[in-house]
Amino acid sequence: MPAYICETCGVQYAPTEQPPERCIICEDERQYIGWQGQRWTTLEAMRAGEYRNQLEELESGLTAILTVPKVAIGQRAFFVQTVNGNLLWDCITYLDEATIQALRDRGGVQAIAISHPHYYATCVEWSQAFGEAPIYIHAADRHWVTRPEGRYIFWDGETVEPVPGLGLVHLGGHFDGAAVCYWPAGAGCQGVVLSGDTIQVVQDRRWVSFMYSYPNLIPLSASKVEQIAATMRRYPFRRLYGAFNGLNVLDEPDAVERSARRYVQHLREE
Ligand SMILES: [Zn+2]
Ligand SMILES: [Zn+2]
């Protein structure tokens, strides 16, 4: 039986004879159903097409993985290499033999961690391709898992280390369980944050933003944004890499702090 993939969000569901009737991710007010109605594909169908994954080394030990042409939301995944093991941060829908081989050549994937449900993608396929690597998902988002047969680790609390030296930090906001990845050894030991869209890098690339919904432009509350900024003070960084290609904040260690202040100022203006 095929494990169907929603064409709009790229999230895969448990194998079924017929495509699921609905996508719970897209029906949520943070997403949307495709303008042509609910559509489904499979990994096999995608592999027969023109897709491929591009690997780009962003700095020593950090590689972005991006599918071209764009699939669904179009996020990138990150492959972080450390002496203690390698982590796949966030997930993308398309996976083929060339990608698996390229990552095996770099030491394989020992753990997978995902910021929030929009990027669950085909995480079970990725896990299976790398020796049933555990998939770290925050427990607050457990009910969003659409392919339950995976080897999940539902973590709780502020932080957990799927690989020693690589932390997940729970921030909430965009989703109750939304998290970022903190790599203190990154950027020459000045700290790297992989922020998904829990903290979204904006187009000028010196600032970030925080939304409940990006496609439907629903903001977060002032108190939530202040809470995210307060938590992030404990995780100093030099570089922050967002979910989308090229959206990186380099050498702006106060970007989260000052962006949160600006955001809250706008919300509170009379
Ligand atoms: Zn969907
Ligand atoms: Zn999202």
Side-chain angles (χ1 to χ4, degrees):
M1 285 190 293
Y4 285 96
I5 294 167
C6 171
E7 285 192 8
T8 305
C9 69
V11 171
Q12 189 181 43
Y13 283 68
T16 46
E17 295 283 2
Q18 297 299 319
E21 277 180 18
R22 34 203 282 269
C23 174
I24 58 168
I25 306 280
C26 288
E27 284 188 350
D28 177 64
E29 68 177 348
R30 279 163 282 202
Q31 248 282 111
Y32 59 93
I33 292 164
W35 294 3
Q36 318 302 326
Q38 179 63 50
R39 291 194 172 183
W40 301 94
T41 186
T42 63
L43 209 43
E44 291 75 63
M46 291 177 74
R47 283 173 181 153
E50 54 182 335
Y51 294 110
R52 63 193 176 83
N53 286 334
Q54 282 179 346
L55 272 60
E56 182 193 1
E57 191 174 53
L58 299 172
E59 60 178 81
S60 178
L62 181 67
T63 301
I65 311 170
L66 180 72
T67 305
V68 287
K70 181 186 171 207
V71 172
I73 294 171
Q75 77 272 15
R76 53 185 174 172
F78 293 89
F79 178 68
V80 192
Q81 289 167 281
T82 81
V83 289
N84 300 313
N86 304 333
L87 177 78
L88 181 77
W89 166 252
D90 275 334
C91 200
I92 54 175
T93 303
Y94 188 65
L95 177 64
D96 60 12
E97 264 316 307
T99 309
I100 295 167
Q101 199 50 55
L103 297 185
R104 281 194 187 139
D105 292 346
R106 292 161 168 81
V109 172
Q110 279 73 54
I112 298 168
I114 308 180
S115 60
H116 74 296
H118 290 151
Y119 303 159
Y120 288 175
T122 52
C123 60
V124 173
E125 308 274 352
W126 286 77
S127 167
Q128 288 169 353
F130 295 100
E132 298 284 341
I135 305 161
Y136 284 75
I137 281 176
H138 194 275
D141 288 341
R142 186 180 187 139
H143 58 290
W144 290 105
V145 167
T146 54
R147 207 175 159 187
E149 78 273 27
R151 188 181 159 208
Y152 296 100
I153 294 180
F154 296 104
W155 61 284
D156 212 342
E158 181 172 305
T159 184
V160 69
E161 288 195 349
V163 169
L166 267 178
L168 310 182
V169 180
H170 176 233
L171 296 176
H174 182 44
F175 269 81
D176 286 344
V180 297
C181 179
Y182 185 57
W183 181 31
C189 289
Q190 295 183 85
V192 160
V193 171
L194 306 176
S195 69
D197 60 8
T198 304
I199 300 171
Q200 179 89 288
V201 176
V202 295
Q203 289 298 321
D204 76 2
R205 305 200 299 177
R206 293 183 53 244
W207 297 76
V208 298
S209 195
F210 320 86
M211 297 287 268
Y212 182 71
S213 168
Y214 293 96
N216 301 324
L217 301 176
I218 310 172
L220 287 178
S221 68
S223 63
K224 190 69 233 176
V225 171
E226 283 169 339
Q227 195 184 317
I228 289 171
T231 304
M232 285 304 294
R233 269 174 225 139
R234 297 194 278 278
Y235 304 94
F237 64 88
R238 169 60 56 176
R239 299 183 193 135
L240 183 146
Y241 297 93
F244 299 100
N245 192 31
L247 289 184
N248 314 320
V249 179
L250 308 175
D251 300 316
E252 304 275 352
D254 66 338
V256 172
E257 185 72 34
R258 98 174 109 71
S259 301
R261 214 180 306 126
R262 177 173 81 170
Y263 193 102
V264 168
Q265 265 170 12
H266 278 272
L267 285 179
R268 295 211 168 120
E269 240 169 39
E270 290 299 315

